[in-house]
Amino acid sequence: MKLERELVSFQRAAGASKVRMISRLIPVLRTIKPVANLVVSSWEKQMRENAKREIEKGEKPPGAIKDRLEIGVSILRTVEKAILEDRLSPQTIHKLLNVLIGEAIIKEGEKRAKQAFEKKYGVRPPSFILVSPTKKCNLFCVGCYADSDKTEVKLSWPVLDRAVGEARSLWGARFFVISGGEPLLYEDGGKGILDLVEKYDDSFFLMYTNGTLIDEKAARRMAQTGNIMPAVSVEGSRETTEKRRGRGVFQKILEAFEHLRQAKVFFGISLTITRNNVYEAFSDEVIDYYFNKVGAHFAWAFQYMPIGRAFTLDLLPTPEQRVWMWQRTWQLVYERHLFLIDFWNSGTATHGCVSAGRSGGYLVINWDGTVTPCVFIPYSPVNIYEIYSQGKNLNDVWANPFFAEIRKWQTEYGYGKNHGVEGPVKNWIRPCPFRDHFQEMYEILKKHRPRPIDENAAETLSDPEYYQGLVEYDRQVAALLDPIWEQKYLH
């Protein structure tokens, strides 16, 4: 009990030097697993006690607090397992521990940035930006949300570098997401994505990639910097993946997994869920294959969005499948403690939609400088090149009225509300303003008229069948998911 109390005390007072100390102790903890288990169990116990106190306060939906807790526990156990099984490079262990301990190790300058933003704007700043520095891709996947192709359009290195630097200095951000196109194809002025990751080595990067360009050299470089976790795109089985991504692609993905395992990189998978692959993607066979045989540490699941190349409502998971996915996702988290995030069903853990620069949320900067509220809301009111040419910065982007209107919607919907005191907290398992509340999002788009970033996005706004179909879809989804929210989360 004394050791346990000391561990809890350490957790509360942890700083960067202590993180380094734990990193050096990892080889010892591997040989004395009961001690390592005690470290993790004491941490988990503290998390559960904090959640219990939060539920007793009654300020947030109790079911959502439990979901957020179980996601946290799953992440903690995933990292513990990876460390004890010697599946991570020393650099990766150090960086992951920094992320787990969180606020305690944020530098003083970053704390001041957060405080300055809150003092000026009255809310906490966004936590990160997502950058798609290139639209170029070596694949041509069916239904690609970004409609990626062979284009040479890309963000200049100075703009990419400045955007990341400003997110750190103005918002105190230390986490960044890289998407595409294929990020590993980005190059400007002799600089690539891994140069960005290495430059900001005290930040952490999540990179969505098709995996086909991850060779032994790239994987070794990722392990050495330790602050990047690639999420490799798959659809489920070999057959299902190649049906969307092309013949021979799955073998290249398997080779990428092997390189990442050998280098001891913290990597995972990214799944696009349609009504055609939903049961396969969440099956025991597929889940066990990627988490156990392949060695993936995490999985992101993105339900299909009707945007991008050859968009269609016919690939949307049905309302009944949405219910099944909600049950299955949380079963895998609660019972098997898998680090698995479905960005709709896991909306309870993020308190709803995190787009448009919401506190703790993010904004998107695309390859041509357009800035959008989300990768799945392809409409931009402002261009980062224009902002910088006018002597402005990311705060001016964040303050744009279109983004502010979406943040207002998020607040009214229930983000940040005191449950039971400040009005109803609406359903966080249908959190997306674009897909789950299209009628309301359509009015915001009409009011502010942000520019569609491509022809596909423009077409969705002018197609009456698209509008009517999504509104009806939302109605059917609400009829099934709202009772679950009321029964399982609010009470």
Side-chain angles (χ1 to χ4, degrees):
M1 290 300 295
K2 180 180 179 182
L3 176 58
E4 185 174 343
R5 287 194 299 271
E6 290 176 351
L7 289 168
V8 171
S9 176
F10 160 77
Q11 178 197 344
R12 290 173 175 166
S17 60
K18 298 243 180 3
V19 175
R20 288 192 292 270
M21 180 184 69
I22 291 186
S23 297
R24 291 195 294 269
L25 284 174
I26 293 300
V28 178
L29 293 177
R30 286 198 189 108
T31 62
I32 314 175
K33 288 189 178 182
V35 176
N37 292 335
L38 181 58
V39 172
V40 173
S41 62
S42 67
W43 213 332
E44 180 178 330
K45 180 180 178 181
Q46 187 66 35
M47 291 166 65
R48 294 191 180 280
E49 289 175 353
N50 292 341
K52 182 179 178 181
R53 285 193 291 270
E54 192 174 1
I55 290 173
E56 290 171 350
K57 287 181 180 179
E59 296 178 356
K60 295 289 184 294
I65 295 172
K66 293 176 183 178
D67 280 358
R68 190 179 181 94
L69 165 67
E70 293 303 328
I71 285 287
V73 169
S74 296
I75 294 172
L76 181 63
R77 293 192 183 185
T78 294
V79 174
E80 174 199 23
K81 184 172 184 283
I83 290 174
L84 293 183
E85 293 178 358
D86 193 19
R87 294 167 57 195
L88 299 177
S89 69
Q91 296 91 338
T92 300
I93 291 172
H94 177 67
K95 301 297 173 62
L96 279 173
L97 288 174
N98 282 352
V99 172
L100 282 177
I101 292 176
E103 290 291 327
I105 57 154
I106 289 180
K107 295 178 181 177
E108 190 62 33
E110 291 163 355
K111 288 182 180 179
R112 286 197 298 268
K114 291 175 182 289
Q115 292 166 353
F117 186 96
E118 187 166 2
K119 182 178 181 180
K120 182 175 182 178
Y121 296 105
V123 294
R124 292 181 294 111
S127 290
F128 64 102
I129 56 172
L130 183 152
V131 181
S132 294
T134 179
K135 193 180 182 182
K136 187 176 183 179
C137 190
N138 58 327
L139 301 183
F140 196 79
C141 301
V142 176
C144 174
Y145 80 89
D147 199 8
S148 298
D149 52 31
K150 302 297 184 181
T151 181
E152 294 296 331
V153 178
K154 60 187 176 183
L155 277 179
S156 70
W157 172 263
V159 167
L160 174 61
D161 183 29
R162 178 176 172 181
V164 171
E166 282 190 348
R168 288 164 52 88
S169 64
L170 297 176
W171 301 345
R174 296 175 62 249
F175 179 70
F176 299 91
V177 181
I178 308 295
S179 189
E182 170 50 48
L184 292 175
L185 281 174
Y186 174 78
E187 188 279 329
D188 185 67
K191 301 288 188 179
I193 284 303
L194 296 185
D195 293 299
L196 185 75
V197 173
E198 290 168 346
K199 177 173 182 178
Y200 296 100
D201 64 350
D202 61 346
S203 296
F204 210 88
F205 293 79
L206 165 64
M207 178 179 70
Y208 294 106
T209 171
N210 62 40
T212 61
L213 301 178
I214 298 178
D215 56 15
E216 185 177 350
K217 180 180 178 181
R220 190 165 56 245
R221 192 174 173 188
M222 293 178 196
Q224 288 170 349
T225 188
N227 61 329
I228 183 171
M229 52 182 187
V232 179
S233 298
V234 295
E235 316 305 318
S237 66
R238 176 190 294 266
E239 180 183 0
T240 305
T241 299
E242 294 199 342
K243 184 177 181 180
R244 184 179 189 217
R245 299 185 175 272
R247 178 178 293 184
V249 169
F250 197 76
Q251 183 58 40
K252 294 180 180 179
I253 290 173
L254 292 183
E255 292 169 4
F257 287 144
E258 177 63 20
H259 295 315
L260 293 168
R261 278 197 306 273
Q262 290 297 323
K264 299 184 179 180
V265 176
F266 190 76
F267 72 93
I269 60 172
S270 174
L271 293 154
T272 298
I273 307 299
T274 71
R275 70 179 58 182
N276 298 329
N277 74 334
V278 53
Y279 300 115
E280 175 188 313
F282 286 103
S283 68
D284 283 333
E285 180 182 5
V286 167
I287 293 296
D288 289 341
Y289 176 77
Y290 286 108
F291 277 92
N292 297 332
K293 186 173 182 179
V294 165
H297 301 280
F298 61 87
W300 308 116
F302 294 92
Q303 297 180 29
Y304 174 78
M305 285 287 285
I307 60 170
R309 182 180 302 140
F311 64 85
T312 174
L313 301 186
D314 295 337
L315 288 178
L316 285 168
T318 67
E320 293 76 16
Q321 288 174 335
R322 291 275 297 266
V323 174
W324 182 85
M325 276 190 290
W326 169 77
Q327 295 170 327
R328 179 60 172 161
T329 298
W330 288 113
Q331 178 189 32
L332 292 169
V333 172
Y334 274 75
E335 296 179 10
R336 295 183 56 178
H337 302 293
L338 296 181
F339 183 178
L340 170 64
I341 303 288
D342 170 347
F343 281 88
W344 275 259
N345 293 313
S346 302
T348 51
T350 59
H351 298 175
C353 170
V354 296
S355 72
R358 192 199 84 177
S359 296
Y362 79 116
L363 284 169
V364 177
I365 302 176
N366 293 304
W367 45 84
D368 58 355
T370 54
V371 185
T372 59
C374 172
V375 292
F376 299 128
I377 304 179
Y379 305 94
S380 172
V382 67
N383 191 291
I384 195 68
Y385 285 105
E386 295 174 1
I387 287 292
Y388 286 165
S389 69
Q390 297 166 6
K392 299 179 181 179
N393 58 38
L394 277 185
N395 282 350
D396 297 294
V397 174
W398 175 88
N400 183 274
F402 174 57
F403 299 140
E405 186 88 9
I406 295 176
R407 293 194 294 270
K408 178 183 177 184
W409 178 89
Q410 292 165 338
T411 300
E412 292 173 349
Y413 191 74
Y415 167 70
K417 279 188 177 179
N418 189 327
H419 171 54
V421 177
E422 299 175 290
V425 176
K426 297 180 183 177
N427 190 346
W428 290 345
I429 51 177
R430 52 184 195 96
C432 177
F434 189 87
R435 196 183 68 165
D436 297 332
H437 306 274
F438 188 71
Q439 188 170 16
E440 296 170 63
M441 187 68 213
Y442 187 78
E443 293 303 316
I444 295 175
L445 290 169
K446 282 202 309 182
K447 176 180 177 180
H448 293 277
R449 298 188 180 279
R451 184 174 69 85
I453 67 170
D454 56 31
E455 293 180 0
N456 302 305
E459 189 177 345
T460 62
L461 292 182
S462 60
D463 184 350
E465 291 186 8
Y466 182 92
Y467 175 87
Q468 294 163 5
L470 259 186
V471 170
E472 176 58 21
Y473 176 80
D474 294 347
R475 186 192 66 79
Q476 294 178 21
V477 168
L480 294 180
L481 291 183
D482 283 356
I484 293 175
W485 173 252
E486 290 284 338
Q487 297 164 15
K488 299 293 185 179
Y489 287 95
L490 296 185
H491 305 294

